[in-house]
Amino acid sequence: GIQVEQSPPDLILQEGANSTLRCNFSDSVNNLQWFHQNPWGQLINLFYIPSGTKQNGRLSATTVATERYSLLYISSSQTTDSGVYFCAVEILTGGGNKLTFGTGTQLKVEL
Amino acid sequence: NAGVMQNPRHLVRRRGQEARLRCSPMKGHSHVYWYRQLPEEGLKFMVYLQKENIIDESGMPKERFSAEFPKEGPSILRIQQVVRGDSAAYFCASSQGQGDASLFGPGTRLTVL
């Protein structure tokens, strides 16, 4: 099956710093999503981004489908950004959009 | 405009009991997916359902686990004779179909004593 790898696995930032998270995938995908799992376990949709670039406030994401990677940028990080960031990909199957998740990046933002 | 609803949010069972997890998809969504997150791990796909049909159950354990999405009512993930290894967070997601974004519910955290 498709492999989804994320880097770095762990990241500690000082509040106000910027960071880039990476997601590599091993095959062509139909769709890619970024999620934030907060310290309470809730899974929050950040981006639905099969290709191109999108921005939402301090967050932006870029997917280069032909090169099989996606990047998530966090600018001016805040303590509330702490948690685990997952990318998940959908491959073209007989139906539906079953997602394969990456291993996640654990982010901690400190004061 | 409620999103994906799951209940209960927390469930405690003793070994050998049954666990029933419920999921109501977002209004207008006809595709339901169940995922499991074991402690310190990412989410793993379990099963994909549409109304009254199981489309893909390739991620479901072969025994004790079953899922349904009846014509009326929520989708149910049922775990019979639970064991400690079943302790995990179970997430439900819904979408309008292939190529559409999946929206996730808040999850049910199952603890088996």
Side-chain angles (χ1 to χ4, degrees):
Chain A
I2 190 168
Q3 303 298 312
V4 183
E5 296 182 353
Q6 292 185 242
S7 60
D10 299 280
L11 185 59
I12 299 175
L13 298 175
Q14 293 295 312
E15 195 173 44
N18 303 327
S19 65
T20 301
L21 282 56
R22 187 177 180 102
C23 172
N24 292 331
F25 41 96
S26 60
D27 206 345
S28 300
V29 299
N30 196 43
N31 176 23
L32 185 143
Q33 292 183 243
W34 281 97
F35 297 90
H36 174 215
Q37 187 166 38
N38 64 24
W40 296 271
Q42 290 183 307
L43 203 62
I44 300 161
N45 281 55
L46 297 177
F47 294 101
Y48 168 82
I49 186 166
S51 63
T53 297
K54 290 187 178 180
Q55 180 153 8
N56 184 3
R58 296 182 295 104
L59 302 181
S60 64
T62 295
T63 297
V64 184
T66 53
E67 297 187 22
R68 300 180 184 171
Y69 73 88
S70 183
L71 303 174
L72 178 69
Y73 307 95
I74 305 174
S75 63
S76 304
S77 59
Q78 300 177 358
T79 56
T80 51
D81 295 332
S82 296
V84 184
Y85 289 81
F86 290 105
C87 72
V89 300
E90 171 196 340
I91 58 173
L92 198 60
T93 62
N97 55 337
K98 173 173 75 175
L99 293 174
T100 299
F101 279 75
T103 49
T105 292
Q106 175 86 51
L107 173 65
K108 184 176 182 181
V109 180
E110 298 177 335
L111 292 171
Chain B
N1 183 21
V4 180
M5 310 282 285
Q6 288 187 252
N7 66 82
R9 297 289 301 276
H10 299 273
L11 182 61
V12 178
R13 286 286 178 267
R14 296 190 180 280
R15 281 179 297 169
Q17 291 184 319
E18 179 180 286
R20 281 184 180 242
L21 288 61
R22 287 175 289 276
C23 168
S24 296
M26 187 164 180
K27 188 175 180 181
H29 286 187
S30 58
H31 300 243
V32 167
Y33 311 81
W34 286 92
Y35 294 82
R36 178 166 68 174
Q37 185 177 30
L38 294 170
E40 309 299 326
E41 294 188 12
L43 280 78
K44 296 285 196 303
F45 167 80
M46 299 180 75
V47 61
Y48 159 44
L49 310 103
Q50 294 182 29
K51 285 286 187 183
E52 300 185 282
N53 282 304
I54 297 174
I55 308 301
D56 180 347
E57 56 182 347
S58 58
M60 286 278 270
K62 294 288 185 269
E63 297 178 349
R64 302 187 297 108
F65 284 71
S66 63
E68 62 176 7
F69 189 16
K71 188 176 180 180
E72 301 290 337
S75 175
I76 306 287
L77 179 67
R78 182 183 178 204
I79 312 172
Q80 295 178 287
Q81 299 176 321
V82 296
V83 301
R84 288 207 174 121
D86 297 332
S87 295
Y90 292 83
F91 288 92
C92 171
S94 72
S95 76
Q96 291 182 322
Q98 191 163 41
D100 183 48
S102 288
L103 298 179
F104 280 75
T108 293
R109 275 140 190 90
L110 172 66
T111 301
V112 179
L113 301 177

